Amino acid sequence: MKLPEVHESPEMLYRMCFASIRSKLLIAAIELKVFDHLSEPRTVEQVAESIQGHTENTMLLLNGLAACDLVSKKNGLYRNLPIAQTFLVEGSPTSLGEGLLQQAVMSERMLANLPQMVLNGSPGSVENEAGDSEAQWAQNAIWMANHERSGVAQQMAQLVAEIPEFPAFRKMLDLGGGPGIFGIAMVKRHPSMQGVVFDRGPVVAVAERVIREYTLERRMTVLAGDYNTDAIGYGYDLIWASSTLNFAQHNLDAVMKKIHSALNPGGVFINLSEGLTDEGTKPDFYVLCTLGWTMNNPMKAFDQGEIAEAMLAAGFNTVRSRTLNVGWGQMDLDIARKA
């Protein structure tokens, strides 16, 4: 019997099988606040003492984090690498730890019965299990603020400031704006533009606090409601939306027309969303991160071009689309102009 001829490497399969160890290391280190103690070089004994941990297992955890390129190890001393120092130290305005913990819990819950869901379909929405309450919405907005100001809000504000209409804008709406970081970044780029953050009641309460933190009370206000059913205001020169129109998928045409009507003549609507390509198989980040949600809920990820088509159907004169690299992968930016 001859040995089989093999022309492929199984490395990818092994890496997929053990990929969960990387995420478990990250989540454990966040929960134990390990990164808070590594802004300066520390021995394993010092770290173990700080977290009240078992010395040898603390070393194994730290070595794993070094293997994941989150910390460095040199001459027995561990220290945060720049990515961990920027995004994983608690209390930093760009700390993503709390949000990553929430996402991990949600993903684990949604995919806990993946084989059964594939065979039998979803047992029903897990939204309420995740805490669809005012307190949960407000908490999500708090960690979302750090997520947005970890680079993407600055990137989008720069792009918006470069469009030719920007200097003449007088009033903008951050639709479904959460903590309002995108709106804040754009208002700060303009010498006089006023801004409104629209979202659910408990969320705009967070946005009000964030607006005060950035001392923009005289230039920014909030408006509470559900944009599927409530008025969103009028007289805007710019409406911005980011990763929010998924909540309007059952009502997208009506919401898009509402956005069109709320703009002044010559106004601009800019939307940042995922856009699935390759028959729904790419970009890999959005295919994977929305898998559990889509299996458990009617809400799904947008296909590339879906938002642009809805913009044109609502009466926008022109739509310009482009794909951008943001902090977690590729997203589509659609810029619609009203005649």
Side-chain angles (χ1 to χ4, degrees):
M1 180 177 178
K2 295 173 61 177
L3 290 173
E5 292 187 14
V6 180
H7 303 289
E8 295 286 341
S9 168
E11 180 182 356
M12 183 183 74
L13 303 179
Y14 286 110
R15 288 189 176 276
M16 288 180 67
C17 184
F18 292 102
S20 62
I21 297 176
R22 288 177 174 268
S23 62
K24 289 182 183 299
L25 284 169
L26 172 62
I27 297 307
I30 294 172
E31 289 179 345
L32 295 170
K33 304 185 187 301
V34 168
F35 301 107
D36 296 357
H37 303 288
L38 293 175
S39 294
E40 299 295 334
R42 293 287 185 268
T43 65
V44 64
E45 291 79 12
Q46 289 173 317
V47 176
E49 181 180 2
S50 297
I51 67 172
Q52 298 183 330
H54 181 277
T55 301
E56 184 173 345
N57 285 352
T58 299
M59 181 189 70
L60 294 174
L61 172 67
L62 292 172
N63 285 349
L65 296 175
C68 295
D69 295 320
L70 294 176
V71 306
S72 64
K73 183 180 183 181
K74 186 174 182 180
N75 298 325
L77 297 177
Y78 298 89
R79 186 175 189 174
N80 287 335
L81 286 171
I83 188 170
Q85 187 64 29
T86 302
F87 299 121
L88 297 175
V89 175
E90 193 173 57
S92 162
T94 57
S95 174
L96 302 178
E98 183 180 356
L100 292 173
L101 288 177
Q102 291 191 33
Q103 292 294 324
V105 170
M106 178 64 74
S107 294
E108 183 68 25
R109 179 178 296 145
M110 286 184 166
L111 295 174
N113 297 308
L114 181 57
Q116 289 85 350
M117 287 192 295
V118 172
L119 293 175
N120 305 316
S122 171
S125 172
V126 299
E127 183 175 0
N128 289 332
E129 296 177 22
D132 186 22
S133 64
E134 289 197 0
Q136 186 64 50
W137 278 94
Q139 188 61 39
N140 289 346
I142 291 171
W143 72 256
M144 186 60 70
N146 283 14
H147 163 79
E148 292 175 357
R149 62 186 161 210
S150 292
V152 65
Q154 297 90 322
Q155 179 186 4
M156 295 303 111
Q158 176 63 35
L159 288 173
V160 172
E162 291 171 356
I163 68 173
E165 299 93 339
F166 187 74
F169 286 161
R170 300 181 303 278
K171 182 180 179 183
M172 76 157 290
L173 172 68
D174 188 352
L175 182 68
I181 296 294
F182 281 110
I184 287 169
M186 292 169 194
V187 166
K188 277 186 166 290
R189 288 272 183 168
H190 196 286
S192 60
M193 182 173 66
Q194 301 289 307
V196 178
V197 179
F198 184 101
D199 214 310
R200 296 174 64 150
V203 177
V204 296
V206 174
E208 284 184 306
R209 296 200 299 270
V210 177
I211 289 168
R212 288 195 295 271
E213 289 175 10
Y214 286 90
T215 63
L216 285 172
E217 302 96 316
R218 294 185 179 182
R219 295 181 59 190
M220 295 193 71
T221 58
V222 301
L223 186 61
D226 179 346
Y227 58 69
N228 280 292
T229 56
D230 298 324
I232 61 173
Y234 59 90
Y236 302 112
D237 301 298
L238 168 67
I239 296 180
W240 165 267
S242 171
S243 300
T244 185
L245 291 182
N246 307 79
F247 292 101
Q249 284 178 337
H250 67 289
N251 194 34
L252 186 58
D253 290 342
V255 169
M256 198 65 74
K257 289 176 181 176
K258 184 184 293 188
I259 292 169
H260 184 271
S261 297
L263 283 166
N264 290 326
V268 180
F269 172 42
I270 305 179
N271 180 77
L272 181 70
S273 289
E274 75 285 347
L276 300 186
T277 64
D278 296 85
E279 301 182 46
T281 66
K282 295 288 187 294
D284 63 335
F285 175 82
Y286 279 103
V287 174
L288 298 176
C289 78
T290 62
L291 182 66
W293 185 267
T294 305
M295 282 191 174
N296 285 280
N297 294 273
M299 190 168 69
K300 65 179 184 65
F302 284 112
D303 290 330
Q304 190 171 78
E306 197 172 346
I307 295 293
E309 290 175 2
M311 289 170 161
L312 291 171
F316 283 97
N317 188 44
T318 63
V319 177
R320 180 189 175 198
S321 303
R322 58 193 294 195
T323 300
L324 304 170
N325 287 316
V326 296
W328 49 93
Q330 292 183 332
M331 295 190 77
D332 287 348
L333 189 75
D334 297 303
I335 303 176
R337 290 177 165 86
K338 181 176 178 178

